[in-house]
Amino acid sequence: MPQAGAASSLDSADYNPIDHLNAIFSHPSTLSSISKTSRALGDYQHELDRDIADLVSLQSSSNAESLNRIQAAKSDLAELFQKIEGIRERAMQTEQAITEMTADIKRLDNTKRNLTLSMTALKRLQMLTTAYEQLRGLSSSRQYRECAQLLQAVIQLMAHFKSYRSIDQIATLSRNVSDLQRELLEQICEDFEVTFAKGEVPQKRAILAEACLVMDALGDNARSRLITWYCNTQLREYRQVFRGNDEAGSLDNISRRYSWFKRMLKTYDDQHAALFPPYWRVNELLANAFCEGTRDDFKGILSRSIRRADGQSLDVNLLLACLQETLDFEHGLEQRFSTTSRASIDTLSSNDEKSPVFSQAISEAFEPYLSVWVEAQDKQLCTMLPTYRQQPPKTFEEDFSSQTVMSSSTELFSFYRLTLGQCAKLSTGAPLVELSKVFAKYLDQYAQQVLLYYISERPSGQTPSRTASTEDTVVVLNTADYCYHTCTQLEEKIKGQVEEGLRPNIDLQSQADAFMGIASAAIRGLVRRVELDLEPSWREMRNTGWSKLESVGDQSPYVGEMLGRIKTRAADILRMLHKQQYARAFCDNLVELLTQSFLINIVQCRPISEVGAEQMLLDSYVLKKAFEDLITLSNANSPAPAGYIKRVSQSMSRLDSLLKTLQVRPSPSEALVQAYLIHIADKSDANFRKILDLKGIRKQDQAHLVELFQAHRASPRNEKLPQSSTFLSPLVLQSGGAATIIGSGIGTLSHATTLGASNLPGRFDPSTFGSAIMTAARDGVDRFGTPSSNTPSRGMSPPPGQYGQAADGITTPGGSVNQNLRNIGKFFKRDLGSFGGRFGGKAPGATEDGGK
């Protein structure tokens, strides 16, 4: 058993002799078997040595056999290569033998091929000689049908002998054939000339038709010569009768030209069509020759008409009549000679890939003179604008509707549409671009002289002042929106009809922005009406003793009256606005106006005690809740949009910050300073002094508070505060109780809002309202100034600017009215874009052609 365990352990890969010995001699009693175990291990070792020796000898014998097999394979491979080489040599010998055997056969094949070519050439030469003689005889007897067939054969046969012209006989025959072709050409041309000169076409129609077959065989040059002679012959009378310097060639007789050619085409169809093969298209070539000559005549006539010595200009009506008749004539030719329908004259492209053949074949001569027609449209529009200005926005007989637009706008765009269609028929090139510039010019004038005029008229001389009513202002607003939408459509329509390379020159976007400026001015006019209604409420607020209030109660009396007036007037206006975008714009502007008015009246109420500030804060909360419901006055079932609620909160939060600061008592001083740093949150000494002035603290008592404020603002926790508050910085406190907000522009439509005891209006002043809107357009309105790269995000008003400056700081006191209207319109359109829905959609009930 120990020997078996030893053998098993010796076979192990991780054999350890110590462990093996400890396992065998695990007890002192086993020490007696050491000798026996040693002998067993020796025997096992000898057995392993024998096994290894046997394996080594076996492996040696197997290696010898492998070497023998490799040597045998090499000898077999060498023998195979020898056999392959022998086969290759025998193949080359076989090929050489075959070549020697077939050499004679190849020589015989070449001889046969040369003999066949010689026989073929001789046969063709015989055929050519015979055909030449027959052709000469047939040409003398004018048997043109047979001549045509034989001539084609002669020409084909002659082509085979081009390489043999070095042979004298072949060269002589080639010259004879060429001479015969020239004789045939001259003979046929002479036959046509004599026949047409004698008027014997009906009698010799068959001969001439057969002669055309010969001309066809003679080639393209011969055919072109005959067609050119025919066209010149048929148009000779036309050129003699309608010479450009004769009365018959004037523009007045343009219809006679086309009538003459129509008779010519009828003559061709009745008498001459059978002479020429249909695929020659002689009638189409005749029409092309007529168009080219007529176009050159018209160029000369129009050029002389422009340079007339008597000073008279070209008659526009005559020019248009001639051009229209020319277009109709070209259209008739296109229908006659085109296998497909002619492309529409109102568009540049058609579904047909084939371009029109006769499009502008003659009318091209008129295009350089279409500027006269464009000038005529300019003059006509110039006479229309004063008429539109005299018309009221809405007649007395017409019932008001929230979708009503001014009839003059629909008439203007209807005229534009008709004029555009007419110009597109006349030309799709530079004249159409010039017409678009005329359109843009009078769109600007319509915006300024008509729409802006209705809502900004001021008294002059003995003319009494007239201010647009609320209904008229809404009509102007609807009209501005309609003009914006239709102006964009007009630009797209012109671009669809003008030539592709001229499309970048078509731009009516600035005009569309001007109409948005008008819409903005109309919204401001509606807001101004609410402002005037609130003046008694503001007066009551200013008459309240805010410094003497002892306790805070319910809302102040002026608040209820103010809310009643706001809801009454705003509800009436909102019911007249049929687009939600404009209702939202009205409410946004109204909230901003009321916020600024509240701020200005707070200044007018100084000094304000802590109790008074707390009462004002309560009033502001009541007003805020009422402002949030403004937009639902026209539709109580629709909740106020979240964006509108957020905008109201942002506007009123500025008042909250001011009033919460005013609630803090000046003693202890640290409390007031800390309240300012928390609520107003800026480092401005001037703004802090404004708070002290509002609380009524005397100048001599302010120094200590200002020093304390300077000390606190220098602390590390306040180092990130801005230098100046955007809310208080524009507020300027003046002596006598007046206050100014620089750059407000919302309520008064001017560069500053100033209210004081001496200048607060007690009633609506029409002249003030008109001049305010004109000032907004002429001097620019800060809130809707020129766009710049740092403009606030959509839906938010840009920061107030300074008087006479746009938002980007560029001074524009002398800017044009139209340019300022465009700048206002860009911001107004951007604000409207945040209200939801696509701005500028077609108003319900307003058709594309300008219908109401």
Side-chain angles (χ1 to χ4, degrees):
M1 192 67 184
Q3 292 177 355
S8 176
S9 299
L10 290 173
D11 293 338
S12 176
D14 54 349
Y15 173 75
N16 189 345
I18 302 301
D19 294 339
H20 196 179
L21 291 174
N22 290 333
I24 295 175
F25 304 104
S26 59
H27 193 269
S29 60
T30 59
L31 296 175
S32 59
S33 59
I34 292 177
S35 300
K36 183 179 178 179
T37 302
S38 177
R39 287 193 300 272
L41 290 174
D43 295 341
Y44 183 66
Q45 180 179 5
H46 294 319
E47 183 180 354
L48 289 177
D49 290 338
R50 288 193 299 271
D51 292 341
I52 291 172
D54 294 339
L55 291 173
V56 170
S57 61
L58 180 63
Q59 181 65 31
S60 299
S61 62
S62 64
N63 288 341
E65 292 178 358
S66 298
L67 292 174
N68 293 334
R69 286 196 296 271
I70 292 172
Q71 292 297 329
K74 288 182 178 180
S75 62
D76 293 341
L77 188 61
E79 183 180 357
L80 179 62
F81 283 149
Q82 291 176 358
K83 291 180 180 180
I84 292 173
E85 183 65 24
I87 292 172
R88 189 179 67 83
E89 291 177 356
R90 288 196 296 271
M92 293 176 61
Q93 294 173 0
T94 302
E95 181 181 1
Q96 184 177 2
I98 293 173
T99 302
E100 293 174 354
M101 293 172 60
T102 59
D104 295 337
I105 298 175
K106 288 184 178 180
R107 285 194 294 272
L108 292 175
D109 286 341
N110 292 332
T111 303
K112 180 181 177 181
R113 186 181 302 108
N114 294 334
L115 183 59
T116 301
L117 291 175
S118 300
M119 294 175 63
T120 302
L122 289 174
K123 186 176 180 180
R124 288 176 178 174
L125 180 59
Q126 181 183 6
M127 293 172 59
L128 178 59
T129 305
T130 303
Y132 169 73
E133 296 297 337
Q134 292 177 358
L135 182 60
R136 178 175 291 277
L138 292 174
S139 64
S140 301
S141 60
R142 285 180 166 77
Q143 299 180 35
Y144 291 129
R145 181 178 296 276
E146 292 78 6
C147 282
Q149 299 175 357
L150 199 57
L151 179 60
Q152 293 177 356
V154 170
I155 294 175
Q156 291 177 1
L157 289 171
M158 200 64 223
H160 293 289
F161 291 96
K162 285 185 177 179
S163 57
Y164 301 102
R165 288 184 179 179
S166 58
I167 303 173
D168 294 338
Q169 291 81 358
I170 299 299
T172 302
L173 182 59
S174 177
R175 287 193 296 272
N176 292 338
V177 171
S178 299
D179 293 340
L180 182 57
Q181 289 179 357
R182 284 192 294 271
E183 291 174 5
L184 276 173
L185 175 60
E186 297 299 333
Q187 179 178 310
I188 292 173
C189 290
E190 182 180 357
D191 289 345
F192 268 89
E193 293 175 1
V194 172
T195 302
F196 273 82
K198 294 182 178 181
E200 298 176 352
V201 174
Q203 293 81 358
K204 295 185 178 182
R205 182 176 299 158
I207 296 177
L208 296 181
E210 295 173 355
C212 288
L213 300 178
V214 177
M215 299 296 280
D216 218 6
L218 289 173
D220 294 338
N221 291 333
R223 183 170 59 248
S224 299
R225 174 178 171 180
L226 180 60
I227 294 175
T228 302
W229 171 85
Y230 175 79
C231 293
N232 292 334
T233 301
Q234 299 303 305
L235 296 177
R236 185 181 299 118
E237 179 185 357
Y238 169 76
R239 292 164 181 164
Q240 292 174 353
V241 174
F242 296 98
R243 286 184 300 181
N245 55 355
D246 289 345
E247 181 180 355
S250 63
L251 292 179
D252 296 333
N253 293 316
I254 191 172
S255 58
R256 291 179 56 190
R257 290 175 178 264
Y258 300 142
S259 298
W260 183 94
F261 186 70
K262 290 176 182 178
R263 292 194 300 270
M264 174 56 63
L265 287 180
K266 188 174 185 306
T267 301
Y268 173 85
D269 294 337
D270 295 341
Q271 302 179 15
H272 302 162
L275 302 179
F276 306 101
Y279 57 85
W280 282 18
R281 302 181 69 88
V282 176
N283 53 352
E284 183 174 342
L285 296 175
L286 178 63
N288 276 325
F290 172 81
C291 292
E292 291 176 1
T294 305
R295 182 179 64 243
D296 294 338
D297 288 347
F298 286 168
K299 287 182 178 179
I301 294 171
L302 292 171
S303 177
R304 289 192 296 272
S305 298
I306 294 296
R307 301 193 304 267
R308 291 179 59 173
D310 54 8
Q312 294 183 2
S313 60
L314 184 62
D315 189 346
V316 176
N317 294 329
L318 177 60
L319 177 68
L320 293 182
C322 294
L323 181 53
Q324 188 61 52
E325 192 165 357
T326 301
L327 292 172
D328 294 340
F329 176 74
E330 291 175 347
H331 185 65
L333 292 180
E334 195 66 41
Q335 288 182 330
R336 176 185 175 95
F337 297 114
S338 179
T339 57
T340 56
S341 59
R342 181 178 185 267
S344 172
I345 59 177
D346 290 332
T347 58
L348 286 177
S349 60
S350 174
N351 293 330
D352 301 324
E353 295 182 358
K354 180 180 178 181
S355 59
V357 177
F358 291 96
S359 177
Q360 296 186 341
I362 303 176
S363 57
E364 179 187 354
F366 291 88
E367 186 165 345
Y369 305 96
L370 286 179
S371 59
V372 179
W373 176 79
V374 175
E375 292 174 0
Q377 308 311 308
D378 191 327
K379 293 178 181 178
Q380 185 171 356
L381 285 169
C382 185
T383 60
M384 294 167 61
L385 264 295
T387 305
Y388 291 159
R389 180 167 178 167
Q390 295 174 3
Q391 297 175 0
K394 179 180 68 66
T395 61
F396 295 104
E397 297 80 8
E398 183 179 2
D399 294 332
F400 174 77
S401 170
S402 61
Q403 301 180 14
T404 301
V405 297
M406 293 166 53
S407 59
S408 60
S409 65
T410 61
E411 292 176 8
L412 178 64
F413 281 106
S414 295
F415 177 82
Y416 276 13
R417 189 164 290 105
L418 293 174
T419 307
L420 175 60
Q422 190 175 15
C423 185
K425 294 179 182 179
L426 305 179
S427 172
T428 58
L432 191 55
V433 177
E434 293 301 322
L435 183 64
S436 70
K437 294 179 181 179
V438 173
F439 286 171
K441 169 185 174 182
Y442 286 99
L443 286 174
D444 285 335
Q445 292 189 15
Y446 184 79
Q448 176 185 349
Q449 299 180 12
V450 179
L451 297 184
L452 188 60
Y453 169 79
Y454 283 133
I455 57 177
S456 60
E457 183 180 357
R458 294 186 293 179
S460 59
Q462 287 76 28
T463 303
S465 61
R466 181 188 63 81
T467 303
S469 63
T470 303
E471 292 183 354
D472 288 348
T473 305
V474 172
V475 171
V476 171
L477 173 62
N478 293 339
T479 304
D481 176 71
Y482 164 75
C483 291
Y484 169 83
H485 177 73
T486 312
C487 190
T488 304
Q489 283 186 338
L490 179 64
E491 178 181 346
E492 294 175 355
K493 189 174 183 65
I494 298 176
K495 286 184 176 180
Q497 294 182 344
V498 76
E499 295 175 2
E500 185 174 359
L502 298 176
R503 289 176 186 174
N505 298 330
I506 307 300
D507 183 13
L508 298 179
Q509 189 57 46
S510 60
Q511 285 69 37
D513 291 339
F515 285 118
M516 276 299 94
I518 296 295
S520 173
I523 290 293
R524 291 158 180 251
L526 296 174
V527 171
R528 174 64 173 166
R529 292 188 173 278
V530 179
E531 179 189 16
L532 295 173
D533 289 345
L534 299 183
E535 182 50 38
S537 301
W538 295 126
R539 188 183 302 112
E540 182 179 354
M541 175 185 177
R542 292 190 297 272
N543 292 336
T544 302
W546 297 100
S547 61
K548 300 178 181 179
L549 288 181
E550 298 179 356
S551 63
V552 178
D554 294 334
Q555 66 184 37
S556 301
Y558 76 92
V559 174
E561 180 185 358
M562 178 184 295
L563 293 179
R565 293 175 181 272
I566 292 174
K567 291 181 179 180
T568 300
R569 176 65 74 172
D572 292 341
I573 293 175
L574 289 172
R575 280 193 294 268
M576 296 181 183
L577 301 177
H578 74 284
K579 279 196 171 184
Q580 186 64 26
Q581 294 97 324
Y582 292 120
R584 170 68 185 276
F586 169 77
C587 292
D588 283 346
N589 280 268
L590 181 58
V591 169
E592 290 194 21
L593 164 72
L594 296 175
T595 302
Q596 291 190 2
S597 298
F598 199 175
L599 173 61
I600 293 174
N601 282 278
I602 288 175
V603 176
Q604 301 302 312
C605 295
R606 68 180 189 269
I608 302 172
S609 65
E610 291 76 17
V611 176
E614 187 176 357
Q615 182 63 50
M616 285 185 178
L617 184 61
L618 176 61
D619 295 343
S620 70
Y621 287 152
V622 175
L623 291 175
K624 176 183 176 182
K625 293 299 181 182
F627 292 166
E628 291 176 350
D629 296 333
L630 274 180
I631 201 169
T632 63
L633 292 178
S634 59
N635 186 4
N637 298 325
S638 177
Y644 172 73
I645 298 296
K646 181 179 179 181
R647 189 157 187 170
V648 172
S649 299
Q650 290 176 344
S651 298
M652 297 298 294
S653 63
R654 297 175 296 180
L655 295 177
D656 294 347
S657 301
L658 175 63
L659 293 175
K660 287 179 181 179
T661 305
L662 294 177
Q663 284 186 86
V664 181
R665 298 179 180 276
S667 178
S669 304
E670 289 80 359
L672 178 59
V673 172
Q674 291 296 336
Y676 179 90
L677 293 174
I678 293 174
H679 297 301
I680 305 300
D682 73 359
K683 300 180 181 179
S684 173
D685 289 347
N687 289 343
F688 183 69
R689 291 180 184 275
K690 294 175 185 178
I691 297 296
L692 301 181
D693 289 340
L694 291 177
K695 293 181 67 66
I697 299 177
R698 295 178 301 176
K699 296 292 184 182
Q700 56 268 29
D701 297 334
Q702 293 182 7
H704 169 68
L705 292 171
V706 172
E707 292 178 359
L708 186 61
F709 169 73
Q710 294 174 348
H712 278 273
R713 76 180 181 187
S715 64
R717 66 179 179 178
N718 295 323
E719 62 182 4
K720 295 184 179 180
L721 294 180
Q723 293 295 329
S724 180
S725 168
T726 58
F727 172 55
L728 281 183
S729 296
L731 183 64
V732 178
L733 278 62
Q734 300 176 354
S735 60
T740 300
I741 299 180
I742 300 298
S744 62
I746 300 298
T748 62
L749 299 174
S750 62
H751 67 281
T753 302
T754 303
L755 294 177
S758 61
N759 60 3
L760 289 171
R763 63 181 182 86
F764 173 55
D765 185 356
S767 61
T768 303
F769 173 57
S771 62
I773 297 181
M774 287 302 295
T775 302
R778 289 200 171 96
D779 294 334
V781 179
D782 294 313
R783 180 180 182 274
F784 300 106
T786 303
S788 62
S789 59
N790 57 356
T791 304
S793 61
R794 295 182 63 178
M796 298 299 294
S797 301
Q802 299 299 324
Y803 170 60
Q805 291 185 350
D808 58 357
I810 300 175
T811 304
T812 59
S816 66
V817 175
N818 281 329
Q819 184 58 44
N820 287 323
L821 285 175
R822 294 165 189 166
N823 295 334
I824 293 172
K826 289 178 182 178
F827 278 104
F828 188 61
K829 182 169 60 176
R830 186 187 62 193
D831 282 350
L832 289 177
S834 65
F835 299 161
R838 180 183 181 275
F839 170 71
K842 184 185 298 185
T847 60
E848 183 179 339
D849 60 359
K852 295 182 183 179

